[in-house]
Amino acid sequence: MRRVAITGIGVVSSIGTGREAFWISLLEGKSGVGQVRSFDTSRLPVHLGAEIPDFEPEPYFRRLRPGCMGRASQLAVAAARLALEDAKCDARSPDRTRAGVAMGTAGESLFVERYNDYRANGDENSFPPEYYAGYPCQVIPGHIADEFDLAGPNASIPTACAAGNHAIGYGFDQIRANRADLMLCGGADSFSRIPYVGFARLGAIAPERCQPFDRNRKGMIPGEGAAVLVLEALDAALARGVRIYAELLGYGLTCDAHHMTASHPGGDGIIRAMAAAVRESGIAKEDVDYVSAHGTGTPTNDRVEAVALHGFFGPRIASIPISSIKSMIGHAMGAASAIEAAACALAVHTGWIPPTTNYEEPDSECALDCVPNRARQTNPRVVLNNAYAFGGNNACLCLRSFEGVD
Amino acid sequence: MRKRVFASGAGVISSIGAGLECFGAALFRGDPGIRPSQRFGGSAAEVLEADLLRLLPEKGVRTLDRTSRLLTVTVQMAFETAGLSPESAGETHRDLGLVCGTVLSSLHSVAGFDWSGLTEGPRLVNPMAFQNVVLNSPAGHAGIRYRLRGLNSTVCAGMASSLYALEQAAECLRLDRAEVLLAGGVEELCEESILGMRQIGLASPTERAHPFGPDRDGAVLGEGSALCVLETEGSALHRGVVPLFEICGFGAAYEPRGRRKQAAASAADAMRQALAEAGISAGEVACVIASANGSPETDEMEACALRTVFGCRLDQVPVCAPKAIYGETMGAGGALAVLSAGLALSRGLAPPNVDSGGAAGINLKSVAQPINGRNVLINAFGCDGNHASMVIGAWKN
């Protein structure tokens, strides 16, 4: 079975664009949260979001015109360009038919919102036809392939808040099954009023800040962003002599089969996803030395996640650092776990673990070492990246630092 | 050695009927499901309300939107045909999962949720409706109802979505991630999809689909859902079931915008990958289930790709374009085509074509033709550059 290396990282986030800016901000504990600017929240009880304040798509485009596509696509193409530059590679070479794309997303729902805006003004007949074509979510990986002229497998995985991990796992499979030699994969989502209103109605949005695992946590902060990883067959990456951030070892997908919007109280599906990822990766759970939590900051999510982590790791959980970068960049929906996977790759590459910020008061229901407020250098080797979604979906990726071919 | 993957059951609901038997009977009669819509103006290949209502479970369906309802009844039928109990399969098979292909999924729920917030104010939005806003909600609802605790994924690759989904599930079975998985696709007709397809010029203004035909002017939109129960050879033997067919090969290729003139070469590449993976030559293909839906450009592209792959022998291979019968069902289309291919193998006949008019060099007969061989090639090509092909094979003990 072919091995898979992560050789490029591109991130567009509310705390920085580009691998380095993003990583420095994460380690410094910066916050991307502010007043929502992209739509009116005056009729809602909450007003905060983690939007990217200054994103200009034009510099990332050579072939396509960004004005013809939705913001999720713009963020996706920008992250893909950053990732390819970071990997110092032309994905078309040597064979464009062996380079593919897989992106997780919640979709270009902005176009649905725009249509409804036109309709509310009695003006739907002047809704531009190209907006219809910009909606179906295959356009997001499609735009990446169009911009970089890639002819390999091309898929969107719209599995909500676990979509980034799903897409990275899908890309991993394409390389291992020898359907592709290089995959650009990750996730992209734009800030959007549909999930904002939905999460607000569920009472899941925090009024002031996102405090994962804190006793006084009050909810999540919706966000946006994109991350794209360059996955390459390990032998090809070694032949190119390129920097390898981490090796992707395996992943696990499960479904709680319990409730559409609430996790299984015992964390059953989460535990099985971690177990599947560990099993497929050919490691022991004792090898895991960092977990990137889903950590949305809602009272229930974090409690269930803690139950699952205790259930899976047992007493050793006390010595495993667990952090949630959603405390800084909010919850970027379909992009979230892809951005977190980028952070995991950087953690094993640099030896540093990003913190869980806004952490003040421990919660006995979340007895975890959540790396409170300050980044920590622990030189993790094997890390898990957890993500959960509506529909009871759980997805866990396992990455390891690359220390040469055994 | 690569593990073999079989389809041991199939569920289907479409404009031409529900259940593999009804679907197959209408397909081989050449009895189109395109008729005046029961819910919208104009004609469409719409699932009959009576079919859906008859099959829907009694409880727990109120909060499901139409897409989820279509998928739910399909899961139920798929289990029953595979000799699995819908009530207990999730308990006996711990890693049972679902991979669902779709393009627009719950778009109607997404639009309705936003519309409610916009017009009535966000505080009056029904929070229960939010669960249907995620595009994986049909797969999620099915996971909960049938206790599918293994992988649960949703894939969107345009018209190729459900072939991608079937392959993703097959790959997971080959990798021992599960022994039994459901895979296929779903798509509903809704006012938003009808409007969108008209606006982007995909819909036939005359509401007649003539795949490959000289007077074709677009597709007729349809809806439906089709799923296969896929399992490893070991699992099928252990359960003592007779598989319907084998998943033998898959190919996928994308052709970027601006290079669409090369789209036929890309589609041919997808077909060749599928043939190579199945270990057969083009000459061994017994029948082709085409993707053609009546679109002027994409049908021509597919005809050109078929000529590239089959060469001068193309006129000897029966080709069937069933979207003239069950419409363009987008995310469900690939899976409906796979089931059509499976029926062709089990009957030893290529389904007849209706309303085609024929295309130069393509063997499109209006009556069912005997087929010669054990493999059928299925195409799922879109105008968006997504091309996928699959080869299935007859079950041979």
Side-chain angles (χ1 to χ4, degrees):
Chain A
M1 196 76 82
R2 301 213 292 177
R3 291 167 66 178
V4 177
I6 299 171
T7 59
I9 296 173
V11 180
V12 184
S13 81
S14 56
I15 57 167
T17 290
R19 168 182 53 83
E20 204 164 333
F22 163 71
W23 188 237
I24 289 170
S25 295
L26 269 193
L27 294 186
E28 287 176 351
K30 277 201 179 146
S31 169
V33 176
Q35 295 287 322
V36 172
R37 297 195 302 185
S38 55
F39 52 84
D40 177 18
T41 60
S42 61
R43 292 199 288 176
L44 288 162
V46 284
H47 311 285
L48 294 182
E51 295 167 290
I52 303 169
D54 49 5
F55 176 67
E56 293 288 345
E58 284 77 12
Y60 302 99
F61 285 80
R62 309 276 187 276
R63 288 171 163 244
L64 307 180
R65 287 189 300 124
C68 300
M69 64 186 72
R71 184 171 166 95
S73 287
Q74 294 174 351
L75 294 168
V77 170
R81 183 169 296 285
L82 291 164
L84 285 168
E85 285 171 358
D86 191 46
K88 299 188 171 44
C89 87
D90 173 6
R92 304 179 71 233
S93 170
D95 184 355
R96 58 189 284 278
T97 69
R98 300 280 297 171
V101 188
M103 292 294 285
T105 183
E108 293 278 20
S109 49
L110 229 51
F111 286 123
V112 176
E113 296 167 10
R114 279 224 210 126
Y115 176 77
N116 279 337
D117 289 337
Y118 274 71
R119 191 177 152 205
N121 293 325
D123 203 15
E124 65 262 39
N125 291 330
S126 52
F127 188 69
E130 59 269 26
Y131 286 6
Y132 293 99
Y135 173 72
C137 54
Q138 81 264 17
V139 302
I140 295 172
H143 283 132
I144 292 177
D146 294 348
E147 176 67 22
F148 301 102
D149 192 32
L150 309 178
N154 194 288
S156 166
I157 319 276
T159 47
C161 302
N165 267 0
H166 273 245
I168 294 167
Y170 182 82
F172 172 76
D173 286 351
Q174 301 313 299
I175 294 175
R176 290 216 307 176
N178 205 17
R179 293 191 189 283
D181 296 323
L182 181 145
M183 290 292 295
L184 291 176
C185 40
D189 259 323
S190 60
F191 205 82
S192 159
R193 80 177 173 219
I194 294 173
Y196 199 90
V197 167
F199 283 115
R201 285 294 290 139
L202 293 180
I205 299 181
E208 288 170 3
R209 56 201 171 140
C210 175
Q211 298 178 276
F213 306 114
D214 188 282
R215 190 174 163 189
N216 299 310
R217 65 189 181 277
K218 293 189 175 63
M220 61 183 289
I221 301 279
E224 65 175 346
V228 170
L229 304 181
V230 177
L231 301 188
E232 285 184 75
L234 179 64
D235 47 4
L238 290 171
R240 286 208 303 126
V242 70
R243 169 183 48 207
I244 293 170
Y245 288 104
E247 186 177 355
L248 193 51
L249 296 182
Y251 70 103
L253 304 181
T254 64
C255 181
D256 284 351
H258 169 70
H259 192 274
M260 274 301 284
T261 59
S263 293
H264 182 275
D268 164 63
I270 302 174
I271 292 173
R272 288 186 294 110
M274 288 191 283
V278 161
R279 185 173 63 238
E280 179 167 291
S281 299
I283 56 154
K285 63 183 170 188
E286 288 71 26
D287 298 331
V288 174
D289 44 19
Y290 169 59
V291 179
S292 166
H294 187 59
T296 57
T298 65
T300 313
N301 175 86
D302 296 2
R303 183 177 66 239
V304 169
E305 189 159 15
V307 166
L309 288 166
H310 278 269
F312 182 62
F313 287 104
R316 201 176 76 84
I317 193 67
S319 62
I320 305 174
I322 316 276
S323 64
S324 167
I325 65 169
K326 289 190 179 80
S327 56
M328 295 171 269
I329 61 168
H331 188 342
M333 307 290 145
S337 52
I339 299 174
E340 287 148 16
C344 286
L346 289 165
V348 296
H349 182 64
T350 64
W352 283 81
I353 290 176
T356 304
T357 61
N358 304 321
Y359 188 83
E360 288 166 354
E361 197 172 334
D363 181 354
S364 59
E365 290 190 317
C366 304
L368 298 167
D369 170 11
C370 64
V371 196
N373 304 320
R374 293 185 93 88
R376 196 188 291 168
Q377 189 176 17
T378 66
N379 301 315
R381 278 188 72 241
V382 177
V383 307
L384 298 183
N385 185 38
N386 280 340
Y388 324 127
F390 274 15
N393 273 357
N394 309 291
C396 175
L397 289 181
C398 180
L399 295 78
R400 185 174 63 192
S401 58
F402 181 67
E403 291 149 8
V405 184
D406 343 294
Chain B
M1 206 183 109
R2 207 168 101 115
K3 276 195 169 180
R4 297 173 69 182
V5 173
F6 295 92
S8 59
V12 55
I13 184 163
S14 77
S15 60
I16 61 168
L20 198 57
E21 206 164 307
C22 289
F23 174 80
L27 183 70
F28 279 87
R29 275 199 311 272
D31 189 4
I34 296 166
R35 55 189 163 246
S37 166
Q38 294 176 304
R39 296 178 296 146
F40 310 104
S43 289
E46 188 177 40
V47 168
L48 291 172
E49 289 301 290
D51 277 343
L52 186 54
L53 289 173
R54 174 170 55 83
L55 291 164
L56 267 181
E58 281 188 11
K59 286 186 181 161
V61 293
R62 190 180 57 87
T63 57
L64 305 190
D65 61 20
R66 186 175 178 90
T67 314
S68 292
R69 289 176 183 182
L70 290 170
L71 190 68
T72 297
V73 302
T74 311
V75 172
Q76 180 92 16
M77 288 185 276
F79 276 142
E80 286 164 356
T81 58
L84 290 163
S85 154
E87 287 72 37
S88 64
E91 301 301 335
T92 52
H93 293 77
R94 208 174 121 81
D95 296 323
L96 196 56
L98 169 63
V99 186
C100 180
T102 184
V103 177
L104 299 173
S105 189
S106 52
L107 170 61
H108 184 62
S109 293
V110 177
F113 182 85
D114 186 57
W115 182 248
S116 161
L118 198 60
T119 53
E120 299 167 297
R123 284 168 201 255
L124 290 179
V125 166
N126 175 11
M128 281 296 284
F130 185 44
Q131 59 184 335
N132 292 335
V133 160
V134 292
L135 300 179
N136 60 322
S137 61
H141 282 299
I144 293 166
R145 171 173 291 273
Y146 297 102
R147 299 278 298 143
L148 311 176
R149 291 175 296 163
L151 70 103
N152 191 292
S153 192
T154 298
V155 186
C156 172
M159 305 308 183
S161 295
S162 48
L163 289 193
Y164 267 81
L166 284 158
E167 169 55 21
Q168 193 187 346
E171 182 64 15
C172 289
L173 293 167
R174 288 181 207 118
L175 291 171
D176 281 326
R177 290 183 184 141
E179 290 190 321
V180 184
L181 292 171
L182 292 151
V186 66
E187 209 76 67
E188 70 162 342
L189 268 173
C190 60
E191 56 188 87
E192 292 82 5
S193 66
I194 292 171
L195 182 64
M197 291 305 147
R198 276 187 198 140
Q199 292 289 331
I200 64 175
L202 190 97
S204 158
T206 56
E207 299 187 328
R208 292 292 293 273
H210 305 288
F212 295 121
D215 56 348
R216 66 188 186 276
D217 61 0
V220 175
L221 208 56
E223 66 180 347
S225 176
L227 290 171
C228 295
V229 173
L230 297 183
E231 58 189 308
T232 56
E233 188 174 25
S235 169
L237 289 173
H238 177 72
R239 296 201 304 115
V241 290
V242 179
L244 301 170
F245 52 83
E246 178 174 2
I247 306 286
C248 302
F250 173 78
Y254 181 83
E255 196 52 52
R257 201 182 305 243
R259 295 182 50 123
R260 298 281 154 79
K261 280 188 186 135
Q262 287 85 32
S266 167
D269 183 33
M271 284 190 260
R272 284 186 178 130
Q273 286 176 43
L275 293 171
E277 198 169 281
I280 62 166
S281 66
E284 292 171 86
V285 172
C287 161
V288 176
I289 304 296
S291 177
N293 62 14
S295 148
E297 297 81 17
T298 317
D299 289 12
E300 173 54 34
M301 185 282 293
E302 185 175 15
C304 179
L306 286 167
R307 282 191 283 271
T308 307
V309 171
F310 288 89
C312 57
R313 280 195 309 218
L314 180 58
D315 61 352
Q316 291 157 37
V317 187
V319 174
C320 173
K323 287 178 186 172
I325 296 181
Y326 53 66
E328 176 51 79
T329 59
M330 300 194 280
L336 286 170
V338 166
L339 296 191
S340 303
L343 288 161
L345 284 174
S346 63
R347 295 181 180 219
L349 290 170
N353 288 284
V354 300
D355 275 347
S356 167
I362 298 183
N363 181 350
L364 291 159
K365 292 271 165 41
S366 57
V367 292
Q369 308 180 66
I371 60 171
N372 194 1
R374 1 182 356 256
N375 292 102
V376 178
L377 175 69
I378 300 111
N379 288 335
F381 304 149
C383 58
D384 55 0
N386 273 299
H387 305 122
S389 296
M390 183 166 268
V391 171
I392 68 164
W395 160 248
K396 187 174 63 180
N397 202 334

